[in-house]
């Protein structure tokens, strides 16, 4: 029997093993990690965008539908993480195989680093537009700050989240107060939108889901710290639907009130409202708000990516935080983040089928697979993911009336259940089980 030295265990992120029960965090700590993640400015953007395209009530309907799906999806994955203490990579190892998991984990860990780069670049762009500062320099400095916070681990993410969420609410209240001087918020319920037939209800649902489909699928990286499955789900509820709805409905509100310039492009980005009065105090507030708010999503994404790649490379989370953080910051500084946001959204369509396979394998078929022997590649899982992803892509290009994220999720789950019914899919149970 081996024991981890106290000094080491107190700072360990448990990259390669489940989080022990004596290292689990309180419900408040885990909730703060998730609560401050979706309540961000860049999540207000898609909320405003779908309302601009569909009108207020259809847009709100799409937002509520997407969040309901995300609640069920992320809560199921979180429940499993809270019960086992296993990260996303460890979950994926069970379902996709000891070698096959690298395909799933490597894919998601890379996508979230892309989102880190995007939001770091957005930080530089937002502050550059607001104050006339050098966008490149600001993005570089912001990236270094975000790397430093992520390096500190899950506790730092909890503290940042507990600050970011109330700061967002304060920003919304201030922006509403300013916008109400020139815009009629009582007219929001009759807003018809500006998009015509440019976006279907299904596309709107996908647009809302795609923003957090990747980190939502990797929820175990956060909720493995919960004391049990119930508290993991309770922590998830603070994010989906609560925090996510606050952000997206805020963006929807500003668009429907006519307070956003060119909402079809800018969505629910209400940051310019805060600088419209040229008040020095509000300028300082905006600076703090943007850095902390976008810093919340950047640090969470970098944590997901570093944890995933640390397991893949058998290294430490903090080492990969430095490596991937520098790479992501360089991408942001060079301006490349401008060009791949559409690719990130498209890749997000391929993520829900992956999570659906995890849910089917580890929750729906949990008892059936309890004593399954380890395999290098679990082809039923990999093929089911490919089938779900293929269905999502077909829906994306040829059936835009549907939500490709939902199509991929449902098809991926059903494909796995069907493939697992095949006699060939049954792996002989492990000869010896250690408990």
């Amino acid at each position: 029997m081996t024991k981890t030295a106290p000094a080491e265990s107190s700072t360990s992120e448990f990259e390669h093993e489940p989080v022990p029960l004596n290292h689990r965090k309180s419900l408040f700590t885990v909730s703060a990690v998730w609560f401050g993640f979706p309540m961000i400015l860049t999540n207000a953007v898609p909320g405003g965008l779908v309302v601009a395209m569909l009108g207020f009530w259809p847009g709100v309907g799409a937002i509520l539908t997407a969040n309901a799906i995300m609640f069920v999806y992320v809560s199921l994955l979180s429940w499993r993480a809270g019960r086992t203490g296993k990260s996303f990579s460890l979950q994926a190892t069970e379902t996709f195989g000891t070698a096959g998991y690298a395909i799933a984990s490597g894919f998601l860990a890379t996508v979230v680093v892309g989102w880190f780069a995007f939001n770091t670049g957005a930080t530089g762009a937002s502050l550059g537009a607001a104050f006339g500062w050098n966008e490149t320099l600001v993005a570089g400095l912001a990236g270094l700050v975000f790397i430093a916070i992520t390096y500190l681990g899950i506790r730092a993410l909890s503290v940042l989240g507990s600050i970011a969420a109330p700061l967002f609410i304060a920003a919304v209240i201030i922006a509403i107060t300013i916008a109400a001087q020139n815009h009629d918020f009582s007219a929001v319920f009759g807003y018809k939108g500006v998009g015509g037939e440019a976006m279907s209800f299904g596309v709107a649902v996908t647009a809302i889901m795609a923003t957090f489909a990747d980190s939502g699928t990797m929820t175990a990286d956060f909720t493995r710290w919960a004391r049990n499955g119930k508290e993991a789900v309770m922590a998830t509820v603070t994010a989906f639907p609560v925090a996510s709805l606050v952000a997206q409905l805020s963006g929807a509100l500003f668009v429907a009130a006519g307070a956003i310039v060119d909402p079809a492009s800018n969505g629910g980005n209400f940051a310019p409202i805060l600088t419209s009065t040229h008040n020095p105090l509000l300028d300082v507030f905006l600076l703090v708000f943007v850095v902390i708010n976008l810093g919340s999503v950047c640090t969470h994404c970098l944590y997901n990516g570093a944890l995933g790649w640390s397991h893949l490379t058998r290294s430490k989370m903090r080492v990969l935080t430095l490596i991937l953080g520098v790479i992501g910051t360089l991408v942001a500084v060079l301006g490349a983040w401008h060009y791949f946001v559409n690719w990130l959204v498209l890749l997000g369509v391929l993520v829900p089928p992956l999570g659906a396979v995890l849910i089917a394998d580890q929750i729906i078929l949990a008892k059936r697979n309890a004593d399954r022997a380890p395999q290098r590649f679990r082809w039923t899982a990999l093929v089911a993911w490919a089938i779900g992803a293929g269905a999502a892509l077909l829906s994306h290009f040829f059936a835009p009336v549907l939500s490709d994220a939902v199509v991929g999720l449902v098809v991926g789950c059903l494909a796995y259940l069907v493939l697992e019914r095949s006699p060939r899919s049954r792996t002989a149970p492990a000869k010896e089980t250690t408990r």
Side-chain angles (χ1 to χ4, degrees):
M1 181 182 295
T2 59
K3 291 185 178 181
T4 307
E8 180 182 341
S9 64
S10 64
T11 59
S12 174
E13 293 297 317
F14 299 100
E15 299 93 335
H16 311 299
E17 60 183 318
V19 178
L21 284 173
N22 62 330
H23 286 274
R24 304 291 182 93
K25 309 298 182 185
S26 68
L27 175 59
F28 175 82
T29 298
V30 181
S31 296
V33 173
W34 248 133
F35 187 54
F37 193 5
M39 200 184 296
I40 52 173
L41 188 61
T42 47
N43 204 19
V45 172
L49 180 62
V50 299
V51 166
M53 293 292 103
L54 300 180
F56 184 77
W57 288 115
V60 168
I63 291 171
L64 293 175
T65 300
N67 275 276
I69 296 169
M70 288 294 287
F71 161 68
V72 175
Y73 176 72
V74 182
S75 289
L76 287 172
L77 294 170
S78 292
W79 178 79
R80 176 69 176 172
R83 284 174 58 88
T84 63
K86 293 182 178 181
S87 66
F88 167 75
S89 292
L90 291 176
Q91 287 185 344
T93 300
E94 289 184 11
T95 296
F96 294 97
T98 56
Y101 92 95
I103 301 172
S105 186
F107 170 67
L108 255 67
T110 302
V111 170
V112 290
V113 173
W115 280 115
F116 165 81
F118 172 79
N119 284 286
T120 299
T123 303
S126 298
L127 295 178
F131 304 113
W133 295 344
N134 184 287
E135 177 181 323
T136 301
L137 178 61
V138 173
L141 292 174
L144 295 178
V145 172
F146 302 154
I147 292 170
I149 295 172
T150 309
Y151 187 87
L152 297 176
I154 196 71
R155 287 186 179 275
L157 267 62
S158 175
V159 172
L160 187 63
S162 64
I163 298 172
L167 197 62
F168 181 91
I169 294 172
V172 170
I173 293 172
I174 293 171
I176 289 176
T177 303
I178 295 171
Q181 297 175 12
N182 300 304
H183 302 280
D184 184 9
F185 278 83
S186 65
V188 297
F189 301 120
Y191 180 73
K192 300 300 182 183
V194 297
E197 302 295 325
M199 179 181 286
S200 69
F201 186 87
V203 170
V205 170
T206 298
I208 297 297
M209 290 180 62
T211 308
F212 274 89
D214 39 25
S215 286
T217 303
M218 301 178 83
T219 182
D221 292 348
F222 308 132
T223 50
R224 67 197 172 114
W225 295 93
R227 290 176 293 201
N228 51 56
K230 179 181 178 181
E231 290 196 0
V233 172
M234 292 171 67
T236 302
V237 171
T238 67
F240 305 102
V242 179
S244 181
L245 281 178
V246 169
Q248 291 159 3
L249 292 179
S250 295
L253 183 66
F254 286 112
V255 166
I260 304 293
V261 177
D262 191 13
S265 299
N266 297 320
N269 180 11
F270 59 86
I273 297 174
L274 298 174
T275 58
S276 62
T277 62
H278 305 290
N279 184 309
L281 289 177
L282 282 181
D283 288 346
V284 173
F285 176 82
L286 178 66
L287 171 62
V288 174
F289 169 64
V290 169
V291 172
I292 292 179
N293 196 253
L294 294 184
S296 179
V297 68
C298 287
T299 53
H300 283 69
C301 287
L302 184 56
Y303 184 87
N304 279 142
L307 197 68
W309 276 107
S310 67
H311 191 74
L312 285 164
T313 59
R314 311 307 297 177
S315 184
K316 293 288 186 181
M317 184 280 292
R318 289 177 172 83
V319 173
L320 269 299
T321 292
L322 297 175
I323 295 172
L324 297 175
V326 169
I327 293 173
T329 301
L330 285 175
V331 170
V333 166
L334 294 174
W337 66 278
H338 287 286
Y339 303 103
F340 58 66
V341 62
N342 290 333
W343 284 104
L344 288 173
V345 172
L346 181 60
L347 289 174
V349 170
L350 308 182
V351 175
L354 190 161
V357 172
L358 284 175
I359 291 170
D361 181 59
Q362 298 190 21
I363 296 178
I364 299 176
L365 300 179
K367 292 182 179 179
R368 176 182 184 268
N369 298 330
D371 296 323
R372 183 175 62 203
Q375 294 174 264
R376 282 181 53 78
F377 291 94
R378 294 204 64 255
W379 293 108
T380 53
L382 292 167
V383 171
W385 177 25
I387 292 173
L393 285 175
L394 288 173
S395 173
H396 182 83
F397 290 110
F398 301 109
V401 69
L402 301 176
S403 169
D404 36 28
V406 175
V407 168
L409 196 158
V410 172
V411 172
C413 181
L414 292 176
Y416 183 75
L417 295 176
V418 169
L419 290 171
E420 279 293 294
R421 290 181 66 87
S422 167
R424 291 186 178 184
S425 72
R426 292 304 302 266
T427 305
K431 293 182 180 179
E432 213 176 295
T433 305
T434 303
R435 294 190 186 277

